[in-house]
Amino acid sequence: MPAIVDPNDYTPKYYQLVTILRERISSGELLPHQPIPSERQLEDIYSVSRTTIRQAIDLLVRQGFLYREHGRGTFVSPQKLQKGISELTSFSEDMRARGIEPGQKILELKMAVPSEEVRQRLELPADQDEVLFIERLRLGDGVPMGLMTSYHVLPEGLTLDREGLEAVGSIYSLLQEKFHLIATEADETLEAVLATPREAGLLQIAAGSPLLLSVRVTYSQYRRAMEYVKILYRADRYQYFAKLTR
Amino acid sequence: MPAIVDPNDYTPKYYQLVTILRERISSGELLPHQPIPSERQLEDIYSVSRTTIRQAIDLLVRQGFLYREHGRGTFVSPQKLQKGISELTSFSEDMRARGIEPGQKILELKMAVPSEEVRQRLELPADQDEVLFIERLRLGDGVPMGLMTSYHVLPEGLTLDREGLEAVGSIYSLLQEKFHLIATEADETLEAVLATPREAGLLQIAAGSPLLLSVRVTYSQYRRAMEYVKILYRADRYQYFAKLTR
DNA sequence: GACATCATGTGGTTGTTACCAGTATTATCG
DNA sequence: CGATAATACTGGTAACAACCACATGATGTC
């Protein structure tokens, strides 16, 4: 594993280095709290400059794989159960990361005139008068996990019906491929609520059961709001994870 | 505001630049979605190298104040209500950030032998047989906000009684000043639960009311667990905020 | 032996230079 | 006029050099 430089590899050197180091960590070659080679040593080992070494280590530190101590060295972080789960994920990705097979049952899907609350959350321009509204029961391994209500801002002129959504797979991939719109950031609030009779019925629990309510506004790479999503999770089946840093 | 370089200022140049740019943003001089000067222009304006410029911009991008577009420029992010609240904060800091005056009523404080659950969460070594246990009612503007139960790993030989805690202010400042232990990271889970009669009484709500349960393990800069904290928040008075990124 | 000093190794900061990779405008050609 | 090509920006990657700040262990001194 000497010098990196795969001439056929178009990925940046620093990122090749990230991959190599992460592999050496997850393979168990580098153990928790043990130092990795110093930056000067890594220069020789992989024949890249310290600039590139530091760029790679910076990323791994931010991802929580390594930690630095000034004057002492760079060390391997102990592996936590949950990796970096303060990342923006879709319901499906979230479920798969937990080892659960996601599913859904669409209750309603239509273009609709947004309420004032939805307009404000999505910071809608005046000329946008319709958004895509979806209500669906979200399943994990076939059983109800949560009730999701979402409002999506679609590019001018585009609409979507149930068949269209099922044909394209996910709204995200449609927006990305056709319009280069990518979800890059989101603001989320979480609170505890009690299930109403309707919600309880759909989620197959008793009315008055606790639910975890997630309200999220997702922003594109241009920092424009692109969707407003509420999910009511069954408290007995769902916990929210967060990784906090100082 | 020409060159930076305050010779009396010990803070790094890139951080001085971060402060300057953040000020220019929050003052409204640089408006959302407007480009900031290019990296080459900033070199001339502040008489620092592009290395330093990029280091400052990197930090501001990670903090959510700016976003970059390859080939186009660097732009100001629209200001959200909640700044970067996926940061590790104490209850007191959290409350103050929300404009609420924090308070507490200590219900119990003692050295105790940890249960197996607590031992595992704190990854306690075999020779550590006692931890500091605290149960307290947390107040916001004088009214109950939540019920906090915490277990703290103290350095060998150190104990703490109620008077000692009140004298030193906070456990964090004590551990930092005496032992250079700093909380740098935490794993947190959130779920919805119902109030038991005891909890309801302490929090002055009806039994069966919804509560937001936060369970957190905090790690030091050496990635050793240093505390295990559960907080039961009144759902009608507390929402959890998170900022997610891709 | 206890303590201050120094040498050496670590990560942290900064400057300079060069070139690559996208984007947008302008000039040019058919 | 319309499509294409050149060009002049933007941020992204990379190398090399120098020095600072912190930690540690060896060394020397009292």
Side-chain angles (χ1 to χ4, degrees), chain B residues 12-14 48-49 51-52 70-72:
Chain B
K13 284 191 190 177
Y14 84 90
V48 293
S49 73
T51 311
T52 306
H70 190 174
R72 301 224 314 130

Side-chain angles (χ1 to χ4, degrees), chain A residues 116-135:
Chain A
E116 190 51 37
E117 181 216 356
V118 174
R119 291 196 80 86
Q120 286 187 7
R121 293 277 196 169
L122 290 176
E123 303 165 14
L124 280 183
D127 60 334
Q128 186 105 29
D129 56 350
E130 275 201 329
V131 295
L132 177 63
F133 167 82
I134 310 176
E135 185 182 43

Side-chain angles (χ1 to χ4, degrees), chain B residues 100-120:
Chain B
I100 298 172
E101 184 59 28
Q104 64 178 324
K105 186 179 165 191
I106 298 178
L107 302 177
E108 191 164 7
L109 185 155
K110 63 179 181 186
M111 297 301 294
V113 177
S115 67
E116 189 51 37
E117 181 215 358
V118 174
R119 289 196 81 84
Q120 286 187 5

Side-chain angles (χ1 to χ4, degrees), chain B residues 168-200:
Chain B
V168 76
S170 92
I171 299 173
Y172 299 116
S173 53
L174 173 73
L175 291 176
Q176 177 164 357
E177 284 171 23
K178 300 279 186 186
F179 302 95
H180 296 93
L181 276 174
I182 302 173
T184 57
E185 201 171 294
D187 288 329
E188 189 170 36
T189 70
L190 295 170
E191 60 185 304
V193 298
L194 299 183
T196 66
R198 174 173 184 269
E199 293 157 1

Side-chain angles (χ1 to χ4, degrees), chain A residues 62-81:
Chain A
R62 263 179 283 136
Q63 292 180 344
F65 291 100
L66 300 174
Y67 63 99
R68 295 198 231 244
E69 287 185 40
H70 189 173
R72 300 223 316 129
T74 303
F75 304 84
V76 177
S77 295
Q79 311 242 27
K80 291 295 142 218
L81 302 177

Side-chain angles (χ1 to χ4, degrees), chain B residues 14-39:
Chain B
Y14 84 90
Y15 199 80
Q16 296 183 35
L17 194 53
V18 164
T19 306
I20 291 173
L21 290 176
R22 199 163 43 193
E23 171 57 27
R24 290 182 65 178
I25 294 168
S26 62
S27 73
E29 179 191 344
L30 299 169
L31 296 177
H33 299 299
Q34 281 188 348
I36 69 170
S38 76
E39 298 178 355

Side-chain angles (χ1 to χ4, degrees), chain B residues 19-88:
Chain B
T19 306
I20 291 173
L21 290 176
R22 199 163 43 193
E23 171 57 27
R24 290 182 65 178
I25 294 168
S26 62
S27 73
E29 179 191 344
L30 299 169
L31 296 177
H33 299 299
Q34 281 188 348
I36 69 170
S38 76
E39 298 178 355
R40 273 83 169 181
Q41 290 171 359
L42 288 171
E43 266 189 283
D44 296 337
I45 297 175
Y46 294 110
S47 306
V48 293
S49 73
R50 198 173 155 216
T51 311
T52 306
I53 300 285
R54 280 186 65 79
Q55 202 173 352
I57 293 180
D58 277 348
L59 186 55
L60 288 167
V61 167
R62 265 180 282 135
Q63 293 180 343
F65 290 101
L66 300 174
Y67 63 99
R68 294 198 232 244
E69 288 184 41
H70 190 174
R72 301 224 314 130
T74 302
F75 304 84
V76 178
S77 296
Q79 309 244 29
K80 291 296 141 220
L81 303 178
Q82 314 303 331
K83 302 272 169 166
I85 306 193
S86 64
E87 289 184 357
L88 175 52

